[in-house]
Amino acid sequence: MEFTIFKDILIIFALSTLVNYVFTKIKVPSIVGYLITGILAGPHLTGIINNVENIEVLAEVGIVLLLFTIGLEFSLQHLIKIRKTVFWGGLLQFAATTLIVLAIARFFDLDFRGALFVGFLTALSSTAVVLKILQDRSEITSNYGRTVLGILIFQDLVLVPLLLFIPIIGGESTNIMNELFWMGLKSLGIILFVVFGNKWFMNRILHAIAMTKNQELFLMSILLICLSVAFLTAELGMSLAFGAFLAGLMISESEYSHNAFGHIIPFKDTFSSFFFVSIGMLLDLHFVVDNISIVLMTVTMVILIKIIIASGTAFLLGHTFRGVVLVGLALAQVGEFSFILVKMGQNYQIISNYYYQLFLAVAVITMSISPLLISVARPLANAAMKLPLPRKLKEGIFPLEQIDVPELKNHLVLIGKDPRILSMSVMARHVKIPYISIIFDPVIVKERQQKGETVIYGDAQNTPILEKAHVRTAGVIVISIGDVVTAMAVTEKVRNLNQHASIIVRARQIDDVEDLYKVGATQVIPEEFETAIELFERVLNKFLMPRDEIEVTIGHIRKNNYGLVRDVKKRPRKSILSQLPNLEISALKVDKDSPIAGHSLSEIAFRSTYGVTVVAINRKEKIIDHPGPDTILCKNDIVYVLGKEDQIAHAVSLFKRQTEKEDKQN
């Protein structure tokens, strides 16, 4: 017995593993690796796999699961939030691209239906490639990332009517009006089917299955729903992929949608890989070599058209020139859903085999170079901003109203827009610490300004923006930017302007800490490590370890992990602490029932017992500097102590009321 399909799957997995290992190392999306795997293994190059039909069957399953997960992720609430970008931006980008490509294709003597079809193919961009890159760069929630996401959502949605419309332009019926009527009727039936299934039917079924607490049964039920609805739509003359999307949509508003999504993801990723591999196999390299000039010219034309139209859309949505460039380059490729459409187009003989191969070549090349285009987008935008461009183009057609920033000294500057730093502005306002925020997102800036906050819109890499926030006279600057390269650039700019301020920077990974210290950070908080510390602190609490011991332990952990990457650059500072990076000053409050209240510093013996030194005392807003050994501590005093982090943590227990300490130990 020959296991032909088993052998083909084995070859694909082996090649995919090798290629993806290399691509992961050079930080290129795995989808590009799958395309190259297909090219390497396909019949047009090595011929290792000749029976492409077997792989296409698995690829069809991948398409079904891919559309199913898109339906699951689709959220009406999220769509409402970005409705302007989705419906106006997405419609403008899709319609303009389709019409321009239609006109160009007609110029090259392609018939109308073929030209329209090519316009549809070109208008779609790659959701999988672009979102993967933006997620890796932590830019999916940025201002430009939100626009890219909105346009991609529209493209995903427009795929549904396109799947219904392709048979019509494929000439399956000569009565176009009749077909449009039936398509509208089908669409209405689909909407009613989804609404009914979503509201009354699907949630009850999933609830009954979930109550069995059998995960295998839940997974089988999800797959059954997906495949059943896909098969039903196929029997009604529509595609399997469209049915899978409907099945996902029916479950999307259910409370079990996230659980379903988690179960289906491994299957989707595995089978989707076969889809991209099969696309690579279909590409005829002999065609590419024989028509290399036409292929390169078409690739260049497609990229330029998509950049210009996507950039124009971003400009009309109010983006600055930097955002215009970023959006344009992010959407400059042909998408994976175009492959689904092009197969339908070939089946209906809308395009010839020549244009089919030309499309495959253009799609594979544009998707493959997308990571490079997106990586150079920001440097290119920064360079372009130095050109003498019109102010309207630089600032956008809907510039934010400039606010008057008061003169401040020794204030707090917050740079970034992630939820942590936005929460810090609320906290600073609560305790009346003067602060200024710099946020590179006009939507958030407008919301914050309307609440009366001092917020500046702009890129913190630009010195004039930092000058406007009075960074030169700031006491503390907090930088929370996901992209480590941007964070380093901002940190270095801030340090050059202010040699004495404390610069606290959030890093995503502990590997980034040393680089941030080198460019001027005073303290770096690695997000992943601090999350682990917080979790471990809760673990120690559950094991009933006394609070003071927990703080000492956490202090040791931080010291041992951060000690090797402390600031190695000696910079001129006003404080001796710059020369003693392992020491810090902390403010500790004396509780009213604390055992040290009413005792002198000599009686407590801070230095000999705990290794810390009292450098000042704040008593009713009056500072007692250089307190002597006879100085008595009073309740509610704020004592400033100098020492190592773990030593200070050990001394904290003295300042708490004795009963609280005993309760935690018992």
Side-chain angles (χ1 to χ4, degrees):
M1 181 183 292
E2 287 201 24
F3 298 96
T4 308
I5 191 168
F6 180 79
K7 184 188 74 172
D8 292 345
I9 291 173
L10 178 62
I11 292 170
I12 288 174
F13 275 140
L15 282 174
S16 296
T17 301
L18 177 62
V19 172
N20 280 332
Y21 176 79
V22 175
F23 277 41
T24 301
K25 286 291 185 182
I26 60 177
K27 296 183 178 179
V28 175
S30 57
I31 290 170
V32 180
Y34 294 138
L35 291 170
I36 293 188
T37 299
I39 295 171
L40 291 174
H44 301 295
L45 188 61
T46 62
I48 298 175
I49 298 175
N50 287 311
N51 192 351
V52 181
E53 288 77 16
N54 287 337
I55 305 305
E56 287 184 338
V57 171
L58 296 174
E60 190 71 34
V61 178
I63 296 170
V64 166
L65 295 176
L66 183 64
L67 267 293
F68 181 61
T69 54
I70 287 176
L72 281 174
E73 289 183 289
F74 184 75
S75 168
L76 290 174
Q77 287 79 10
H78 180 66
L79 185 65
I80 290 170
K81 288 181 181 178
I82 57 173
R83 59 189 179 276
K84 176 185 173 184
T85 304
V86 172
F87 293 112
W88 292 114
L91 178 61
L92 178 61
Q93 181 274 335
F94 181 82
T97 306
T98 301
L99 291 174
I100 288 176
V101 173
L102 167 65
I104 294 173
R106 291 288 292 150
F107 178 79
F108 285 100
D109 296 328
L110 199 62
D111 63 15
F112 180 80
R113 65 173 192 153
L116 179 62
F117 182 71
V118 170
F120 290 155
L121 298 179
T122 309
L124 301 179
S125 299
S126 176
T127 302
V129 171
V130 176
L131 292 190
K132 177 69 168 63
I133 296 172
L134 294 186
Q135 284 172 342
D136 291 343
R137 292 161 61 97
S138 299
E139 292 179 347
I140 201 164
T141 57
S142 66
N143 190 34
Y144 99 90
R146 194 164 50 240
T147 296
V148 169
L149 176 63
I151 292 174
L152 289 173
I153 287 175
F154 180 86
Q155 292 179 4
D156 292 346
L157 292 175
V158 84
L159 176 68
V160 176
L162 286 179
L163 291 172
L164 297 173
F165 188 63
I166 294 303
I168 297 176
I169 65 172
E172 196 173 67
S173 174
T174 55
N175 191 338
I176 301 296
M177 294 306 297
N178 186 53
E179 284 296 325
L180 288 174
F181 171 76
W182 281 109
M183 189 178 78
L185 200 60
K186 284 181 182 179
S187 300
L188 180 61
I190 286 165
I191 292 171
L192 293 175
F193 176 62
V194 170
V195 170
F196 177 78
N198 188 296
K199 193 169 184 180
W200 292 290
F201 182 64
M202 200 59 67
N203 204 41
R204 294 179 182 179
I205 290 179
L206 291 177
H207 177 72
I209 295 169
M211 290 302 291
T212 65
K213 299 180 181 178
N214 186 325
Q215 293 297 325
E216 290 82 2
L217 177 61
F218 187 84
L219 173 59
M220 290 176 65
S221 303
I222 291 297
L223 289 172
L224 177 62
I225 292 168
C226 170
L227 299 177
S228 298
V229 178
F231 181 76
L232 176 62
T233 56
E235 288 294 303
L236 293 174
M238 293 173 276
S239 69
L240 289 168
F242 178 58
F245 175 79
L246 292 182
L249 203 60
M250 289 169 69
I251 302 174
S252 64
E253 298 296 328
S254 164
E255 59 184 297
Y256 303 103
S257 61
H258 296 293
N259 192 27
F261 184 79
H263 276 82
I264 212 73
I265 276 291
F267 293 92
K268 187 267 289 186
D269 290 341
T270 302
F271 283 100
S272 294
S273 66
F274 286 103
F275 168 62
F276 291 105
V277 169
S278 69
I279 295 302
M281 288 181 179
L282 295 173
L283 179 63
D284 187 351
L285 288 181
H286 298 295
F287 173 87
V288 176
V289 173
D290 293 341
N291 301 275
I292 187 65
S293 58
I294 295 176
V295 169
L296 292 179
M297 184 183 72
T298 308
V299 166
T300 304
M301 188 184 302
V302 167
I303 290 176
L304 287 177
I305 289 171
K306 300 207 72 173
I307 287 175
I308 292 169
I309 294 175
S311 298
T313 301
F315 179 72
L316 293 176
L317 289 173
H319 279 275
T320 62
F321 185 71
R322 179 178 282 105
V324 164
V325 174
L326 293 172
V327 172
L329 289 172
L331 296 172
Q333 75 289 123
V334 176
E336 58 272 3
F337 292 136
S338 296
F339 293 118
I340 301 173
L341 295 179
V342 78
K343 284 188 176 182
M344 292 181 64
Q346 192 185 37
N347 292 337
Y348 287 109
Q349 298 181 338
I350 299 174
I351 56 173
S352 65
N353 188 61
Y354 174 84
Y355 285 108
Y356 175 70
Q357 284 296 332
L358 181 59
F359 164 78
L360 289 177
V362 171
V364 170
I365 292 171
T366 56
M367 288 179 71
S368 299
I369 65 176
S370 279
L372 175 63
L373 291 177
I374 295 175
S375 67
V376 302
R378 193 172 292 277
L380 186 64
N382 291 336
M385 287 293 287
K386 297 177 183 178
L387 299 174
L389 300 171
R391 183 178 176 184
K392 209 73 170 174
L393 184 59
K394 278 189 174 183
E395 298 181 1
I397 56 177
F398 306 118
L400 283 171
E401 184 180 345
Q402 297 296 316
I403 62 169
D404 294 325
V405 180
E407 288 283 345
L408 293 174
K409 290 185 179 180
N410 200 33
H411 59 290
L412 171 66
V413 177
L414 303 172
I415 301 174
K417 68 175 188 61
D418 65 83
R420 304 169 192 82
I421 208 157
L422 295 177
S423 298
M424 285 185 65
S425 66
V426 176
M427 299 173 193
R429 195 175 187 183
H430 179 71
V431 298
K432 295 182 172 56
I433 294 177
Y435 73 94
I436 298 173
S437 295
I438 300 176
I439 300 175
F440 192 38
D441 189 324
V443 177
I444 297 177
V445 170
K446 186 173 290 185
E447 290 175 356
R448 295 274 162 169
Q449 286 180 352
Q450 288 173 351
K451 293 178 181 178
E453 297 188 34
T454 307
V455 185
I456 297 172
Y457 168 70
D459 188 349
Q461 295 182 78
N462 296 334
T463 301
I465 298 296
L466 296 175
E467 294 275 13
K468 189 171 183 180
H470 306 303
V471 165
R472 291 185 188 275
T473 57
V476 180
I477 298 110
V478 181
I479 301 169
S480 184
I481 301 171
D483 179 34
V484 66
V485 176
T486 306
M488 288 174 62
V490 173
T491 303
E492 189 170 22
K493 289 258 185 175
V494 169
R495 179 54 72 199
N496 290 336
L497 291 174
N498 191 329
Q499 294 292 313
H500 311 298
S502 293
I503 303 176
I504 303 171
V505 187
R506 176 181 70 87
R508 290 184 64 193
Q509 300 174 353
I510 199 167
D511 295 340
D512 301 331
V513 173
E514 186 173 3
D515 292 332
L516 288 163
Y517 275 124
K518 286 179 179 178
V519 294
T522 308
Q523 187 175 6
V524 182
I525 311 296
E527 181 181 332
E528 293 178 354
F529 189 70
E530 285 300 321
T531 301
I533 284 181
E534 184 176 349
L535 291 172
F536 187 60
E537 187 174 350
R538 293 178 185 237
V539 169
L540 296 180
N541 271 322
K542 292 297 181 182
F543 278 100
L544 303 180
M545 180 181 283
R547 186 65 206 171
D548 54 341
E549 292 184 28
I550 291 176
E551 290 172 351
V552 171
T553 303
I554 296 300
H556 275 300
I557 291 172
R558 283 201 175 99
K559 175 186 174 185
N560 292 337
N561 283 275
Y562 293 170
L564 296 177
V565 290
R566 285 291 184 183
D567 186 6
V568 294
K569 261 189 178 179
K570 298 296 186 285
R571 295 181 296 273
R573 305 269 188 94
K574 290 181 179 179
S575 172
I576 190 64
L577 291 178
S578 63
Q579 308 299 322
L580 301 171
N582 289 323
L583 295 182
E584 61 180 54
I585 294 178
S586 292
L588 305 176
K589 185 177 181 180
V590 181
D591 286 347
K592 63 178 181 178
D593 296 321
S594 168
I596 61 175
H599 293 272
S600 66
L601 296 181
S602 61
E603 291 175 322
I604 302 168
F606 278 109
R607 187 178 301 171
S608 59
T609 306
Y610 299 96
V612 298
T613 302
V614 176
V615 294
I617 299 171
N618 184 339
R619 181 173 296 161
K620 296 180 180 179
E621 302 300 327
K622 181 179 179 182
I623 300 295
I624 304 172
D625 52 3
H626 308 299
D630 297 328
T631 303
I632 305 293
L633 292 182
C634 302
K635 64 179 181 180
N636 296 323
D637 279 353
I638 297 176
V639 182
Y640 299 96
V641 298
L642 172 70
K644 296 180 179 179
E645 188 173 1
D646 55 331
Q647 293 171 332
I648 293 173
H650 194 203
V652 165
S653 59
L654 289 176
F655 291 80
K656 299 177 180 178
R657 60 191 183 93
Q658 191 66 36
T659 53
E660 179 184 342
K661 181 183 174 185
E662 289 172 352
D663 288 342
K664 288 184 178 179
Q665 288 177 336
N666 290 333

